[in-house]
Every structure is written in C-alpha cells, then in structure tokens.
Amino acid sequence: MSVATYSEHGVAWRAGIRWLTLVPCLFAFVLARAHASTVVGKMLAPLPPAGAPASAYGPLVRSGQHGHPNADDLAGVAERLRERGNLSDALQLSERVLAFAPANVQAIQTLVSTLSDMGSASLAYRLARRHAAIFPPEALNRLRVDKAAADIRNALRERRRLEARYRYTQRNDPLKAVLPELDANLRAFPKESKAYWRTQGDRLLLLRELGRMDEVLKAYHQLQSEHATIAPYVTRAVADAYRAKHQPARAAALYKRIFDANPGADVEIFIARYYALIDAEEYGAADRLLARIVRETPVWVYGRRPHG
C-alpha cells in the first residue's frame, strides 16, 4: 500500500470520527427544532392578548425589559409562525414587537416577508425601503418587482371597472400609468439579474394588454438575443401578438410550446391555438386539437358537472 493510500485512509478515518462526534450534536439540534415547532404550534389558537407577559407565550419567550417579552424571542416566534403559513398571527406578533422595540431587525424582516406573503406587495416594499439598510439589494429589488406586478394587476382590475361603466376611452389609462414605473425599474436593476428579466417580461405583458403588438415583438426579439429565460405568461403574450400581426403559424407554435410544457394549462391556450391553426389553414391539426379539447376539457352546465 502506497503512502498516498495510507494518507487517504487516515483522512477518511479522521473524517469518520468527526462525523460520529457530530451526530449527537445534530440529533440534539433536530430535537430542539422539533420541540420549538411543537411549542409554537401550541400557540396557534389563540394568541395571548396584546400586552401579555412573557410567561403567556410559553418557554420559548423570555422576559425582557420594562415588563415586555424579550423582543428577539417574540420576533423569532413570529418568524416560525410565518414559516408555518400562519400569516395572521405572524403579522400580529411582529407588530407587537415593533410597538415596544421599533428597531428590532427580525421583527421588521418578518413583517415585510409576511406582508409580501399575504399579497400586500406595495406595503411590503414601502416598509422595506424605510429600513433599506437591513435588506440585501437583491431582496429590495425582488420586492420592487413584486410591487410593480401588483400595480399591473390592479390596473387590469381598474380597466375592467372602467369598461363596466362604458368608459372605453379611459380604459387603458391605468395601464399606461404603470409603464413609467417599469421603465424606471429597468434602468435601476442590474442587467442579467432576476429582477431585470422579470421586469422585461412584465413590461412585455403590459404592452400586449395595451395592444402595442409591434413593441411586444420587438421586446421579444431583444429577449431572445439576450438568451433570456422566457416565462409562459410572456410566451402567451408574444403568441397573441403574432396572431394579431397575422402570423398565425408562429402564434400556433408558441401556444403549443406553452401546453407542451404544461399540459394542464388554461383551456384558453388550446382555443387560441385552434384559431391560430385555422388562420394558418392547418385544418387537419385544428380538427385534432378540437377533438383533444372536447376529450380533455371538463364540461360545466349551469355550474354543475354532468354525470356519466
């Protein structure tokens, strides 16, 4: 046996001894986490009332200053509740901590994450901006993108409201108001970053909703040239643009790409591809697709699924 082989066996033996030494520590850590999770679980229904002493929260929370629970302990419980999906209690506990410890980092971060998880993207981003020093730039950028996406959704809802009131000349105003926000984000985000690519995709979707199909295709070609990963919702917007610009074969190919990647895609994708195939005079493929739609799409009549 060579010296190198002896050396390798020695390293492996010492590594094995270290691992055996670590096993009890790891086991104790897992048990501690499991115990903490159990204790937190017992707190879920209901929370102690606001102003309750530390003892009301169980063994995970020590007493702090001026009769308050320990801020770090209570903020840690709030974060565990958020991780378990109990967003309402996480929100309440974070706010309780900040009421007597307004600079507590864990409570601020948990409150921001909880607001984001609850879909309150604008509130989450505004709060994070006020405490920008405790958030990495990537996290702030992600929150900023989430806010812009929420603004697009709100603008689409406002457009539907305007249409319901027959205010068609104003229907696109809410969407147009979001476009400068997206452009500002693109200037602010580092190129090649996730925030930059998501914003490019969201901007392309917004252009499609505004009916600016030439700009949609231009933006798509730019994304292709930059080898960007293109999300399915962006692909759908591009397919819609190709169809609107009388290029049905390209539209049909993109629609197919969407439901090949996700066979459970919305039935509207199938229907859009069907009409694109008809426009492209690919009648055989259209007939086969229609048969597939009939076969795979559940039929609902007056809110009830038929028997048999």
Side-chain angles (χ1 to χ4, degrees), residues 114-179:
T114 303
L115 288 169
S116 179
D117 292 345
M118 295 176 80
S120 299
S122 295
L123 287 174
Y125 178 61
R126 286 203 298 270
L127 180 60
R129 280 191 66 187
R130 289 206 301 269
H131 302 277
I134 66 173
F135 289 93
E138 296 81 7
L140 285 172
N141 288 346
R142 178 182 60 79
L143 291 166
R144 186 171 174 176
V145 172
D146 290 345
K147 175 192 175 299
D151 289 343
I152 293 174
R153 290 193 295 272
N154 291 335
L156 289 169
R157 281 194 289 269
E158 178 63 12
R159 181 169 73 174
R160 288 193 292 271
R161 189 186 70 83
L162 291 171
E163 289 172 343
R165 296 186 176 188
Y166 309 106
R167 294 165 63 180
Y168 297 112
T169 59
Q170 301 170 352
R171 64 189 294 273
N172 283 331
D173 290 351
L175 290 167
K176 291 176 182 177
V178 181
L179 196 54

Side-chain angles (χ1 to χ4, degrees), residues 227-302:
H227 306 289
T229 300
I230 298 174
Y233 74 92
V234 178
T235 303
R236 179 175 180 177
V238 175
D240 291 344
Y242 273 128
R243 188 172 165 218
K245 298 302 293 183
H246 309 293
Q247 299 183 54
R250 289 185 173 182
L254 289 179
Y255 290 131
K256 184 176 186 298
R257 184 186 302 176
I258 296 170
F259 62 69
D260 280 349
N262 178 20
D266 194 292
V267 69
E268 290 181 2
I269 302 293
F270 287 80
I271 294 171
R273 182 167 188 257
Y274 170 78
Y275 285 114
L277 289 170
I278 292 293
D279 291 342
E281 299 183 357
E282 296 184 31
Y283 301 117
D287 286 343
R288 290 190 295 273
L289 181 61
L290 184 59
R292 179 179 174 183
I293 293 172
V294 172
R295 183 174 66 252
E296 298 182 5
T297 304
V299 178
W300 300 82
V301 179
Y302 302 115

Side-chain angles (χ1 to χ4, degrees), residues 29-51:
F29 173 76
V30 171
L31 283 179
R33 289 289 293 180
H35 174 68
S37 179
T38 301
V39 173
V40 170
K42 291 178 179 178
M43 295 171 49
L44 298 183
L47 281 181

